[in-house]
Amino acid sequence: MTRHVPILLLVLLAAGCGAGATSSSRSVGALTNPFLGPEYTAWLVGPISRLASPQEIQQYLALKDDSQAAAFVQAFWDRRDPAPEKPGNPLREALEQRAAAADRLYSEAGLLGRRTDRGVIHVLYGAPSKVDHEVSPVPHGPPIEVWLYESGSPSGLDGKRPSGSYRFVKSGDV
């Protein structure tokens, strides 16, 4: 299942802060492990890749079977559990709730909403304070969707504050 799906172009207006896109952002293909079954093949695609370290991404992509992947995923979340002495993992639960919401709101062209640029930002930082639209600078181009976050917005699931704004433009069916 290595099909390339066009992804929304994400442009950060706030230069330098990097709370949304990271310098290590990777393509869907670069985050997909073809040795794993459907449940784990694309596990890294979306917000998980923003939480994982480069070493964790490399380790995950080197896995050869689903049992290794299941153990890796459990260890991944165990390392991020803010209260390991208590049942459950609040970070994982928040991510899963937001991911389900992103799937409902932003799924398109056969791509789960959590794996779209809007979905990733929604999962990491929650819903924006305001959504605006701008006219495309390209004649007959699609409008630009602008998400605004207030300066006092809380840190996201990645521990970073969201940038003040994110701009999204439709590319193809996505």
Side-chain angles (χ1 to χ4, degrees), residues 134-145:
E134 297 176 355
V135 175
S136 174
V138 178
H140 309 293
I144 297 170
E145 186 170 321

Side-chain angles (χ1 to χ4, degrees), residues 100-114:
D103 288 348
R104 282 191 309 277
L105 296 167
Y106 307 114
S107 291
E108 50 196 9
L111 190 62
L112 286 174
R114 73 186 69 192

Side-chain angles (χ1 to χ4, degrees), residues 12-21 121 125 147-151 153 160-166:
L12 298 175
L13 286 179
C17 120
I121 298 304
Y125 305 115
W147 287 14
L148 302 168
Y149 287 86
E150 295 179 12
S151 61
S153 294
K160 301 173 184 172
R161 291 194 181 268
S163 292
S165 63
Y166 296 87

Side-chain angles (χ1 to χ4, degrees), residues 26-147:
R26 296 185 181 192
S27 70
V28 170
L31 293 169
T32 302
N33 185 334
F35 297 108
L36 303 177
E39 182 178 355
Y40 295 107
T41 296
W43 180 75
L44 284 173
V45 178
I48 298 293
S49 67
R50 303 284 186 96
L51 300 177
S53 70
Q55 295 79 18
E56 288 172 320
I57 292 171
Q58 184 178 8
Q59 291 167 355
Y60 190 81
L61 293 173
L63 299 177
K64 300 295 182 199
D65 64 54
D66 286 4
S67 63
Q68 290 176 331
F72 180 93
V73 169
Q74 185 59 50
F76 176 88
W77 287 115
D78 287 348
R79 284 189 296 276
R80 288 163 176 78
D81 190 346
E85 67 283 355
K86 295 180 181 178
N89 180 331
L91 178 66
R92 184 177 190 175
E93 292 163 10
L95 184 132
E96 289 173 357
Q97 288 173 349
R98 289 183 185 179
D103 288 348
R104 282 191 309 277
L105 296 167
Y106 307 114
S107 291
E108 50 196 9
L111 190 62
L112 286 174
R114 73 186 69 192
R115 294 188 175 135
T116 66
D117 288 337
R118 291 185 300 170
V120 168
I121 298 304
H122 177 90
V123 171
L124 292 176
Y125 305 115
S129 305
K130 183 179 179 186
V131 176
D132 253 336
H133 292 86
E134 297 176 355
V135 175
S136 174
V138 178
H140 309 293
I144 297 170
E145 186 170 321
V146 182
W147 287 14

